Amino acid sequence: MPMLQIKHLTHYFGGLRAVYDFNLEMEQGDLVGLIGPNGAGKTTIFNLVTGAYRPTEGEVLLDGENLVGMRPHEITTRGIARTFQTIRLWNELSVLDNICIARASRIQYGLVDSILHGKRYWDEERQIKRRAFDLLAMFGLDKEAHEAAKNLPYGEQRKVEIARALATEPRLLLLDEPAAGMNPGEISDLMEFIQQIRRDFNLAIWIIEHQMRVIMNICERIKVVDFGETIAYGTPEEIRNNPRVIEAYLGEEAFDAA
Ligand SMILES: Nc1ncnc2c1ncn2[C@@H]1O[C@H](COP(=O)(O)OP(=O)(O)O)[C@@H](O)[C@H]1O
Ligand SMILES: [Mg+2]
């Protein structure tokens, strides 16, 4: 049984068909790309998988369990984490606190513990802080741990957002245009960073990206959508030479830049 299995996923916004009959299977350790022109339905697919929207039709199975109808936090607990197209950090909070809050989805102590602030609660709190700090250290962000998130450079904020997603201990990580707004140096860093995450955490990564350099260099397989429909699926080499893909991207600079 594949770890992730998406079957016939379809979504309408009123009369607009944003996603139609989308299918995908992923295993632990996979690195899959999702590309397509603006408005093709990519972010909507992530929103359907993470429970932000309920699909009009179709199934999202994680280890055989159907996630459709679950609330986003229930899906997080089952092992799917994401980042957003525009960074969503708690700007005024420290980098460390941004990570700690995410770990709340994994907190083991019960309601009574938290009311009485018993020993278990404080042990748990200490452990959350330590693990959050370790996570930051892995990414060279420990020196910024007590800085307000908004004071970090853009590329670092992206890393904090990814670290925060990892704090929920996902088996599948969804990245929505992580390279958006980055300069070429930051993009190279990001590519290295994503590959490091896959190695160190042994999880599956599914990435939407407009920067073809990122997609073509790090993904093993790429799915291409246009107007909500899958138009191609294959290796970077197959996608690069696919006439339907080239046609869909006519007029877009992104593809030429690869
Ligand atoms: N919440 C929404 N309500 C109505 N239409 C939406 C909503 N979100 C996205 N859309 C529409 O669905 C289509 C796909 O959008 P989106 O998934 O954001 O595309 P992409 O991420 O590929 O650029 C677009 O036509 C967009 O305008
Ligand atoms: Mg999008």
Side-chain angles (χ1 to χ4, degrees):
M1 181 198 300
M3 183 182 83
L4 176 75
Q5 210 172 2
I6 299 178
K7 294 186 192 172
H8 309 299
L9 197 66
T10 294
H11 194 63
Y12 286 82
F13 291 112
L16 175 80
R17 197 177 71 181
V19 177
Y20 182 70
D21 195 19
F22 184 88
N23 297 276
L24 182 71
E25 291 187 358
M26 278 181 81
E27 298 290 355
Q28 189 177 13
D30 282 352
L31 215 171
V32 174
L34 178 60
I35 66 172
N38 273 323
K42 306 180 295 296
T43 297
T44 302
I45 291 169
F46 276 13
N47 283 333
L48 295 170
V49 170
T50 57
Y53 304 144
R54 192 195 173 107
T56 311
E57 271 176 56
E59 291 183 335
V60 179
L61 305 166
L62 191 70
D63 291 330
E65 184 185 20
N66 194 357
L67 306 181
V68 169
M70 286 187 192
R71 303 186 59 99
H73 73 269
E74 296 174 304
I75 293 175
T76 306
T77 309
R78 277 165 181 77
I80 301 182
R82 73 176 297 181
T83 63
F84 295 88
Q85 203 168 332
T86 42
I87 294 177
R88 291 191 192 175
L89 290 173
W90 288 281
N91 277 316
E92 307 296 330
L93 293 186
S94 72
V95 168
L96 188 65
D97 284 344
N98 266 280
I99 310 287
C100 289
I101 289 176
R103 279 206 62 87
S105 76
R106 288 284 177 190
I107 284 176
Q108 297 300 315
Y109 54 74
L111 183 64
V112 174
D113 277 326
S114 62
I115 291 169
L116 300 178
H117 277 205
K119 178 179 182 310
R120 186 143 165 241
Y121 173 88
W122 291 113
D123 285 352
E124 199 66 66
E125 285 287 299
R126 252 195 305 279
Q127 206 182 61
I128 287 171
K129 277 236 149 85
R130 205 186 52 232
R131 293 181 67 166
F133 199 82
D134 289 347
L135 198 57
L136 289 173
M138 277 186 76
F139 303 140
L141 289 166
D142 44 325
K143 290 171 293 299
E144 279 89 12
H146 300 291
E147 194 67 57
K150 65 176 180 193
N151 293 336
L152 266 61
Y154 189 79
E156 308 262 281
Q157 289 192 27
R158 277 280 180 205
K159 283 189 182 177
V160 173
E161 208 193 14
I162 295 172
R164 183 177 64 181
L166 290 172
T168 66
E169 298 175 16
R171 284 179 298 149
L172 171 63
L173 176 63
L174 311 184
L175 303 173
D176 194 348
E177 297 199 28
M182 286 187 170
N183 64 42
E186 288 173 328
I187 291 176
S188 299
D189 270 2
L190 177 77
M191 283 160 56
E192 190 49 51
F193 184 60
I194 292 171
Q195 285 167 312
Q196 181 198 344
I197 289 167
R198 176 171 52 167
R199 279 194 305 272
D200 294 352
F201 292 83
N202 192 28
L203 39 67
I205 299 179
W206 187 10
I207 177 172
I208 296 174
E209 189 43 71
H210 233 68
Q211 293 287 333
M212 289 302 152
R213 177 156 81 99
V214 176
I215 289 290
M216 292 296 169
N217 279 305
I218 69 175
C219 296
E220 284 113 24
R221 288 176 297 143
I222 300 166
K223 194 100 172 162
V224 190
V225 287
D226 192 17
F227 295 108
E229 290 192 47
T230 299
I231 59 167
Y233 185 46
T235 63
E237 203 48 38
E238 287 162 349
I239 296 303
R240 206 193 301 272
N241 300 311
N242 183 308
R244 279 194 78 182
V245 177
I246 295 167
E247 190 186 350
Y249 272 95
L250 278 182
E252 292 224 3
E253 293 167 24
F255 215 63
D256 307 332

